[in-house]
Amino acid sequence: MSVDMKAKAEAAKAEGNTHFTSKNYDDAIECYSTSIKFDNSNHLYFSNRAACYAAKGDWSASKSDATECIKLSPNFLKGYYRLVQANLELSLFDEATNAAKSGLQLDPDNSELQKQMRLIKAKKAAKASADRNQSLGRPVRDGDAKEILELQDQMQATRREMNEVQQYLEGCKREQKMAELTKSEMSSFPVDADMYRSVGKMFMKATRDEIETYHTTQSTIHSKKEKQFNDKLEYLKKRANSQMINYKELMGGGR
């Protein structure tokens, strides 16, 4: 391919990008098509045109271009994202799943593809719920997929928060136990024994009364914190239970 043809392809792409930014999708499609005419080996031209078709809601055309994009550049993650999006809109859930998994093999931590995987599961669940309700003569609700996805995210966030609170609670219990153990051990020391209290990485000499007062205060503080974390954990358990009930209802189990 001549340098002149590649230059013309890039010039058309630049013009297409301008049209895309201005949301002139038809003009952008025409420009990207010109780029492909001059150079059909560049995956970016197909990716950009797929984005235009997606913006117009032409998901079949978007899927076709995204598929070609991936063929030309199997490591281009955005191509997988566009293919998943198109398959999702076409309700081709298995194909969407396969595309997302292929992308995640390249980048397991890709947040966009991970979110798409959750969205696939939510839409599949919503469709199954709608089909079930329809077969039972129940009303089919719009927006179930979005609600399911939001609930899944909320449930995940609640689980994370519960784990954090549980860790803080265990820390309080350890500190409380150490304070009580220290006070108990002190009772076995001679009355005139030299004693020291840790202050950061240092140890400072202190009287028995000062150390006992310190650990009594610490024990009281940790006891209050422990109660606060226990209360928070109970609240989160109730929230998690409520979210699960709502999730089951959306899935058709409660209606």
Side-chain angles (χ1 to χ4, degrees), residues 6-21 27-28 30-36 38 42-49:
K6 282 185 175 291
K8 288 180 178 179
E10 281 297 298
K13 176 197 169 203
E15 186 180 351
N17 290 347
T18 300
H19 286 306
F20 183 83
T21 302
D27 291 335
E30 186 176 343
C31 289
Y32 294 137
S33 297
T34 299
S35 294
I36 292 169
F38 286 121
N42 192 319
H43 66 283
L44 292 176
Y45 304 154
F46 288 96
S47 175
N48 289 0
R49 194 170 70 174

Side-chain angles (χ1 to χ4, degrees), residues 14-145:
E15 186 180 351
N17 290 347
T18 300
H19 286 306
F20 183 83
T21 302
S22 300
K23 298 184 179 181
N24 299 323
Y25 301 121
D26 289 330
D27 291 335
I29 288 171
E30 186 176 343
C31 289
Y32 294 137
S33 297
T34 299
S35 294
I36 292 169
K37 178 182 176 182
F38 286 121
D39 180 7
N40 63 1
S41 65
N42 192 319
H43 66 283
L44 292 176
Y45 304 154
F46 288 96
S47 175
N48 289 0
R49 194 170 70 174
C52 291
Y53 283 129
K56 285 170 57 67
D58 189 346
W59 297 109
S60 294
S62 183
K63 176 183 177 179
S64 178
D65 275 355
T67 301
E68 187 63 27
C69 170
I70 292 171
K71 284 181 183 178
L72 292 170
S73 182
N75 293 327
F76 186 60
L77 282 172
K78 192 171 287 185
Y80 292 98
Y81 179 86
R82 300 204 193 289
L83 184 56
V84 174
Q85 184 183 29
N87 280 323
L88 260 177
E89 294 297 332
L90 293 168
S91 296
L92 300 173
F93 301 124
D94 291 339
E95 292 185 42
T97 300
N98 292 335
K101 285 181 177 178
S102 296
L104 286 169
Q105 285 180 349
L106 298 173
D107 182 7
D109 297 324
N110 187 279
S111 60
E112 290 185 344
L113 288 171
Q114 288 174 345
K115 185 173 182 178
Q116 282 188 319
M117 281 293 287
R118 296 197 301 272
L119 184 57
I120 293 167
K121 292 178 181 178
K123 286 203 169 189
K124 284 181 72 174
K127 186 177 186 305
S129 175
D131 291 344
R132 188 184 308 112
N133 288 335
Q134 192 170 32
S135 67
L136 296 173
R138 295 170 176 166
V140 178
R141 298 181 0 167
D142 293 330
D144 274 359

Side-chain angles (χ1 to χ4, degrees), residues 165 168-169 171-173 175-177 179-180 215-233:
V165 171
Y168 288 133
L169 184 57
C172 276
K173 288 180 178 179
E175 294 293 335
Q176 174 84 341
K177 186 175 181 180
E180 294 298 330
H215 284 292
T216 297
T217 301
Q218 289 300 304
S219 179
T220 301
I221 291 172
H222 292 307
S223 179
K224 288 181 179 179
K225 285 185 177 180
E226 184 177 340
K227 183 180 185 308
Q228 290 173 351
F229 286 130
N230 270 319
D231 291 343
K232 183 68 177 291
L233 192 59

